[in-house]
Amino acid sequence: MDKLWLIIKREYLTRVKRRSFILATLLTPLAMGLFIVVITVIFSYESDDTKRIAIVDEGKILAGNIASDGNIFFRKMDTDLETLKQNLPQEDYNGILYLPPVADVLDNNYEIYFYSDEKLTLDLEPVILRGVSRALREYKINALSLDKRQLEALDTDIELEPRPITAAAENNTGKLASKIAAAMGFVMGFVMYLTVFIYGMMVMRSVMEEKTNRIVEVMISSVKPFQLMMGKIIGVGAVGLTQLAIWLILFPVILVISSLFFGVDPSQMEAPAGAGQIDPEETQAMVTQIMAEISNLNWWVIIPLFVAYFLGGYFIYASLFAAVGSAMGDDLGEGQSLTIPITIPVLLAFYIMIATVEAPNSSLAVWSSIFPLFSPIVMAARIPYDPPAWQLLVSILLLIGTAIGLVWLSGRIYRIGILMYGKKTSLKELVRWLFVKM
Amino acid sequence: MDVLQLQDVVKQYHRHKAVDEVSFSVPQGSIFGLLGPNGAGKTSLIRIITTITRADTGHVFFEGEPLNTAHPMQIGYMPEERGLYKKMKVGEHLIYLARLKGLDKATARQKINAWLEKFEITDWWNKKVDELSKGMQQKIQFISTVVHEPRLLILDEPFSGLDPINTNLIKEEIFKLHQSGTTIIFSTHRMEQVEEICEYIVLINKGQNVLEGKVADIKENFKENLYELEPLDTLPTSLEEIATVVNERNGIYKVKLTEGVDSTNLLRYLLDHGVRLRAFREVLPSLNEIFIRQVNQL
């Protein structure tokens, strides 16, 4: 036990103290924060290119002017189109908007013209269309003598409000709840997928390094191969948990800081392009609601479950990666084919997880979240949807059993693998090693 | 007493018997040569002794007790395939390996410092292993093998990759450890080193024990009545009656005595014939010759 602890400590400390680890841990959230800020700045960037548009309203459609928008200014002219076209260079206008008379009020088509030697830019077109369409609506209402209030009554906003039947389901049928659950599920499944891969590979590389360094034979004259493998797996796993914990703290901190310094509202991230049109008060209300829904989730259940699935999945895959690493020779490329059987279930689980986010109670989702090779990733995505207790129980029990079994099997491959030099190993060989006596 | 005793040890790998009923004993305080050509089963044997693997059948005793997992703490093993963690600092690396051998931190630090002083390399403490040359790393490796003061030291090709200066340095330390009572098993296929260092040997070939015993006894057993003489006068032709000249090089004759003749007969004969001698000595076979003869015989 003492020795296992020494190994864990070394595996953990040498990694955590490494400059590359510290940089990656601190810089990743910073880089993400910076990325968000840059994206927001880019999307909210308003053209500093002032545009002045002259309007010739021959159809007498406009009651007043078209409201200027940002750097785009409109001015209604009394001159006729031809004179204006000739004078345009001196008048300092970018273009002329020509509104012809409306031939038939009941016609749904109305053509307007924009005269300019410049291209019609993407920021200008919607502003013109919106302005003219609003004015034309007023014009038509007047021309047809319609009742404005009756007309407005035709546009109905319909809201679909989910309501629970039993009191127990009170919290999770809320309108936002399912969206939040989907987002949370995806994030957790994705994090699980990434960490299992990253830290599993880290274990594999470290096993190979020990073998190529020839330190392994020195080590196993003092410790059992199984202790060495477990020490490594636990040590690297602790590194992974450390990194996740730091990120869990750093991400919100950086989001808050960036919103303070750059005036970026994290809630606008979802639709940065349309952010301009959302009423700020509405946004505020939305944020509060999202926050409320997030805190409504049962974190005291979600976090321990997430950690449990992380540990189960990590032990399964890290031990398999360790076994494969031990069987590889000095050449990484040569043994690459051995990692394929491990990579396939991880990738499958990842795609099933994506499908799960959309239909968390489909039989694919349910059975995959019980199957131990998939469950860490797939169940992670289902946790926010409050899966039934029996499914969680069966899934966790299977996961623990499989993790223990696979760690044991991997240990049997590992103890032989680390002492084999210079031989190319096949999958068949690995299976044979399971039954070799030491 | 014997530090180590092997009885009919067998180790079978996939379709290949690596160790086939090997028995030998390593006397307390000796320097013991474990010899054999490449692939003879030396490493397999050492792995059994260090409890890395277990014998299929047969018995191994360490200081009279059946070998158990506590014994490796009394053993220092320097494998032929050896290495260190490249990114670790020398000091923390040595402490790590020492603590895995059961030393507490303070003792480990103190003993390691003593060794670093002995090798005059105290300023290496904070150096990373990969900043050291191969020879320097070997010194660290050696320290890590002996720092817990093992009662049995197993060195597998300890001088491979070392320059002559470092070879001598390590050799001296091995002798010092020997004088302080450490039993040393020295595994190699380099015979000239064995002859220089070992008192006892066992010769393994194809997993089997071919030869075992004191180096002096083995040489005595394998002697072929050969003598070397350097006469100042020409040898009389009648010498053939008691000995045949095997070869002659630069005035030095190697002769083989006829059956029933001993060295005193030869000397008397030469004196009687008025042959003056500059040198006269018995030629014992080198371990190398015995080794090659034994290995080829099988």
Side-chain angles (χ1 to χ4, degrees):
Chain A
M1 245 6 225
D2 264 7
K3 288 182 185 173
L4 181 63
W5 177 240
L6 279 171
I7 297 168
I8 294 172
K9 225 165 77 179
R10 192 203 83 87
E11 296 289 340
Y12 180 76
L13 288 178
T14 48
R15 281 187 179 75
V16 170
K17 283 197 282 188
R18 218 171 274 169
R19 199 172 302 140
S20 57
F21 173 82
I22 298 173
L23 284 181
T25 310
L26 296 183
L27 288 186
T28 307
L30 266 181
M32 290 287 269
L34 198 68
F35 179 74
I36 290 173
V37 167
V38 167
I39 293 285
T40 321
V41 167
I42 288 174
F43 274 116
S44 61
Y45 175 80
E46 287 188 0
S47 167
D48 49 3
D49 177 19
T50 311
K51 289 224 164 79
R52 292 152 57 79
I53 313 292
I55 304 176
V56 177
D57 185 14
E58 211 171 295
K60 302 271 179 276
I61 288 156
L62 298 179
N65 225 329
I66 295 182
S68 39
D69 187 309
N71 293 319
I72 303 166
F73 300 100
F74 296 93
R75 179 142 178 233
K76 214 156 104 179
M77 309 297 268
D78 296 329
T79 9
D80 68 296
L81 183 62
E82 287 312 312
T83 341
L84 206 54
K85 268 194 205 164
Q86 274 157 24
N87 292 341
L88 196 66
Q90 297 105 40
E91 292 277 351
D92 196 23
Y93 282 105
N94 298 74
I96 307 162
L97 180 64
Y98 174 65
L99 309 174
V102 178
D104 180 2
V105 189
L106 292 178
D107 193 352
N108 273 347
N109 288 317
Y110 180 55
E111 247 174 35
I112 58 176
Y113 303 90
F114 184 69
Y115 294 94
S116 176
D117 290 337
E118 298 168 18
K119 279 209 174 70
L120 181 61
T121 53
L122 277 182
D123 57 341
L124 185 55
E125 189 175 347
V127 175
I128 293 176
L129 289 181
R130 210 162 37 220
V132 173
S133 145
R134 222 172 269 163
L136 193 62
R137 186 181 159 89
E138 293 296 321
Y139 172 84
K140 283 188 173 179
I141 289 173
N142 282 335
L144 295 168
S145 333
L146 298 172
D147 182 353
K148 202 170 170 184
R149 275 190 51 227
Q150 284 177 343
L151 267 178
E152 273 164 10
L154 289 180
D155 296 330
T156 320
D157 277 335
I158 301 171
E159 282 192 31
L160 180 59
E161 193 72 35
R163 285 270 185 255
I165 295 174
T166 54
E170 186 69 57
N171 277 337
N172 51 26
T173 53
K175 189 178 158 201
L176 261 174
S178 57
K179 278 186 190 150
I180 303 262
M184 280 293 308
F186 181 77
V187 168
M188 298 210 308
F190 189 68
V191 167
M192 197 70 93
Y193 160 79
L194 273 188
T195 44
V196 161
F197 245 133
I198 292 176
Y199 299 111
M201 289 292 227
M202 202 183 268
V203 168
M204 182 178 82
R205 242 176 295 123
S206 155
V207 168
M208 285 174 60
E209 198 187 307
E210 273 181 2
K211 200 177 157 186
T212 39
N213 266 352
R214 304 292 194 252
I215 175 88
V216 72
E217 190 139 348
V218 177
M219 291 296 295
I220 55 169
S221 66
S222 314
V223 302
K224 298 220 165 328
F226 190 72
Q227 286 176 317
L228 187 58
M229 186 184 91
M230 282 313 283
K232 189 174 290 299
I233 291 177
I234 296 173
V236 173
V239 172
L241 282 178
T242 308
Q243 202 162 34
L244 286 179
I246 292 176
W247 285 347
L248 203 64
I249 297 165
L250 272 188
F251 269 121
V253 169
I254 281 180
L255 274 184
V256 168
I257 290 176
S258 60
S259 67
L260 283 182
F261 276 84
F262 301 95
V264 174
D265 190 339
S267 61
Q268 290 180 9
M269 287 309 98
E270 276 177 39
Q277 275 118 8
I278 295 176
D279 180 13
E281 257 173 58
E282 210 172 289
T283 319
Q284 199 51 52
M286 182 94 122
V287 172
T288 339
Q289 225 175 331
I290 291 176
M291 287 305 175
E293 285 294 347
I294 287 182
S295 52
N296 236 349
L297 289 171
N298 201 348
W299 290 103
W300 295 111
V301 175
I302 291 180
I303 291 180
L305 274 179
F306 184 81
V307 171
Y309 277 100
F310 170 78
L311 290 179
Y314 171 75
F315 271 106
I316 287 179
Y317 284 104
S319 66
L320 289 176
F321 274 121
V324 164
S326 76
M328 281 194 197
D330 301 355
D331 179 17
L332 179 70
E334 194 180 80
Q336 208 72 39
S337 62
L338 288 176
T339 62
I340 292 174
I342 310 176
T343 331
I344 287 174
V346 181
L347 284 176
L348 273 180
F350 178 68
Y351 289 113
I352 294 174
M353 183 273 285
I354 292 175
T356 299
V357 170
E358 281 178 18
N361 292 316
S362 66
S363 42
L364 174 72
V366 170
W367 291 113
S368 305
S369 65
I370 289 173
F371 180 60
L373 286 183
F374 297 161
S375 65
I377 295 172
V378 178
M379 191 58 106
R382 286 189 70 209
I383 294 174
Y385 289 102
D386 268 337
W390 72 267
Q391 289 178 7
L392 277 173
L393 194 71
V394 173
S395 160
I396 288 268
L397 285 180
L398 272 176
L399 185 69
I400 292 173
T402 312
I404 292 173
L406 282 178
V407 165
W408 181 76
L409 286 179
S410 299
R412 289 190 73 83
I413 293 176
Y414 177 87
R415 84 213 145 112
I416 309 272
I418 47 172
L419 292 175
M420 292 276 175
Y421 295 117
K423 236 172 62 177
K424 206 177 157 183
T425 319
S426 63
L427 210 56
K428 206 177 113 200
E429 190 92 346
L430 291 192
V431 175
R432 200 180 58 73
W433 289 355
L434 290 176
F435 306 103
V436 169
K437 257 194 311 170
M438 271 298 266
Chain B
M1 197 182 66
D2 294 333
V3 171
L4 196 68
Q5 211 183 341
L6 276 76
Q7 288 174 359
D8 305 320
V9 169
V10 175
K11 182 75 196 172
Q12 170 103 35
Y13 288 117
H14 191 51
R15 285 190 286 254
H16 161 67
K17 219 170 208 176
V19 179
D20 190 2
E21 298 201 5
V22 170
S23 307
F24 62 85
S25 303
V26 179
Q28 171 84 52
S30 62
I31 302 188
F32 187 94
L34 176 59
L35 318 179
N38 292 325
K42 292 180 304 231
T43 306
S44 299
L45 270 173
I46 292 175
R47 284 180 180 167
I48 290 170
I49 296 168
T50 50
T51 72
I52 291 173
T53 59
R54 217 174 309 161
D56 295 343
T57 58
H59 303 280
V60 184
F61 298 94
F62 186 88
E63 295 182 334
E65 290 171 43
L67 193 67
N68 63 47
T69 47
H71 287 136
M73 296 298 111
Q74 316 296 336
I75 299 176
Y77 170 40
M78 183 155 94
E80 183 181 5
E81 301 281 5
R82 49 188 171 248
L84 298 163
Y85 289 111
K86 302 264 175 269
K87 297 285 172 209
M88 273 180 108
K89 287 179 180 161
V90 169
E92 59 176 353
H93 202 316
L94 284 171
I95 286 187
Y96 177 56
L97 291 176
R99 293 197 67 194
L100 286 179
K101 282 290 185 190
L103 296 188
D104 63 76
K105 204 169 183 177
T107 322
R109 181 177 285 268
Q110 177 211 328
K111 291 200 168 161
I112 290 162
N113 268 323
W115 274 102
L116 291 180
E117 268 163 39
K118 198 178 278 184
F119 285 143
E120 295 173 353
I121 49 174
T122 40
D123 54 327
W124 287 9
W125 190 277
N126 275 320
K127 271 195 183 156
K128 274 192 180 164
V129 170
D130 60 2
E131 291 170 39
L132 304 180
S133 72
K134 188 111 197 273
M136 291 158 116
Q137 287 185 26
Q138 294 270 47
K139 281 187 198 169
I140 303 300
Q141 199 98 50
F142 183 76
I143 294 175
S144 75
T145 313
V146 298
V147 69
H148 60 295
E149 293 171 0
R151 294 212 281 277
L152 174 64
L153 190 59
I154 303 176
L155 305 170
D156 198 350
E157 301 289 358
F159 306 124
S160 71
L162 278 182
D163 62 43
I165 294 170
N166 281 317
T167 302
N168 268 337
L169 195 78
I170 300 282
K171 212 184 279 174
E172 266 170 45
E173 291 308 325
I174 293 175
F175 281 131
K176 277 186 206 158
L177 287 168
H178 168 58
Q179 275 156 21
S180 65
T182 311
T183 310
I184 296 160
I185 295 181
F186 184 67
S187 164
T188 184
H189 59 267
R190 305 266 309 268
M191 289 306 137
E192 71 283 1
Q193 288 173 355
V194 178
E195 221 144 333
E196 188 186 344
I197 296 174
C198 300
E199 304 158 74
Y200 295 85
I201 59 159
V202 60
L203 174 59
I204 308 286
N205 189 41
K206 292 180 183 158
Q208 285 176 322
N209 184 346
V210 181
L211 199 62
E212 184 204 344
K214 260 190 150 152
V215 173
D217 294 347
I218 289 174
K219 285 194 166 193
E220 192 65 29
N221 286 340
F222 278 82
K223 72 176 183 185
E224 295 169 286
N225 268 341
L226 282 173
Y227 289 84
E228 227 170 49
L229 43 114
E230 192 177 351
L232 294 170
D233 309 297
T234 28
L235 291 173
T237 43
S238 58
L239 179 70
E240 281 171 25
E241 291 163 20
I242 56 164
T244 34
V245 176
V246 180
N247 63 41
E248 187 259 314
R249 210 173 283 145
N250 297 330
I252 299 170
Y253 292 81
K254 197 186 237 179
V255 297
K256 185 173 168 62
L257 299 189
T258 326
E259 201 78 21
V261 179
D262 64 21
S263 53
T264 38
N265 300 136
L266 176 63
L267 274 174
R268 184 164 295 125
Y269 169 87
L270 290 169
L271 287 173
D272 290 348
H273 288 76
V275 177
R276 291 167 302 157
L277 291 174
R278 177 175 285 144
F280 178 86
R281 70 181 192 93
E282 184 173 13
V283 179
L284 288 173
S286 71
L287 277 179
N288 204 27
E289 285 163 350
I290 298 172
F291 178 94
I292 290 171
R293 206 185 307 163
Q294 285 301 99
V295 168
N296 284 343
Q297 224 173 55
L298 295 161

